[in-house]
Amino acid sequence: MARYDQDAFVAHAQQILSATPDSSGQADLVSERGSIVVAAKPEDFKKAFKRLKKVQGYRWIVIHREDLFLANTLSVGTKAGILDEDGKVLKAADMPRK
């Protein structure tokens, strides 16, 4: 599968996950799964996980599957789940504790 640029990746994730844009601006999208931040390039992962730390409830990052190794190491301690470009769960999200 071809790699998407950021805008195309957000649009693709919105369609695949039946999500809507996040009106609060904390995440890129919101779906029944929770809040979603889309990161098309590995250099955007740190910023994406930092954005997700401020989000309440279930939180997800959407990445290209081949970037899982890097994203997984950055996800430690964030309680964020990881989805691939097809919407498949690569790492489950945990509900943040209060």
Side-chain angles (χ1 to χ4, degrees), residues 64-83:
H64 292 282
R65 180 178 280 273
E66 60 266 17
D67 298 329
L68 176 60
F69 182 75
L70 177 60
N72 194 42
T73 59
L74 293 172
S75 74
V76 173
T78 66
K79 305 238 182 238
I82 301 173
L83 301 171

Side-chain angles (χ1 to χ4, degrees), residues 13-49:
Q14 185 174 353
Q15 179 184 9
I16 292 294
L17 301 170
S18 300
T20 58
D22 184 4
S23 59
S24 73
Q26 289 186 313
D28 295 322
L29 303 169
V30 177
S31 78
E32 63 183 25
R33 291 185 182 192
S35 298
I36 302 164
V37 171
V38 180
K41 298 181 286 184
E43 53 265 22
D44 297 333
F45 292 172
K46 280 187 181 181
K47 186 171 115 179
F49 282 114

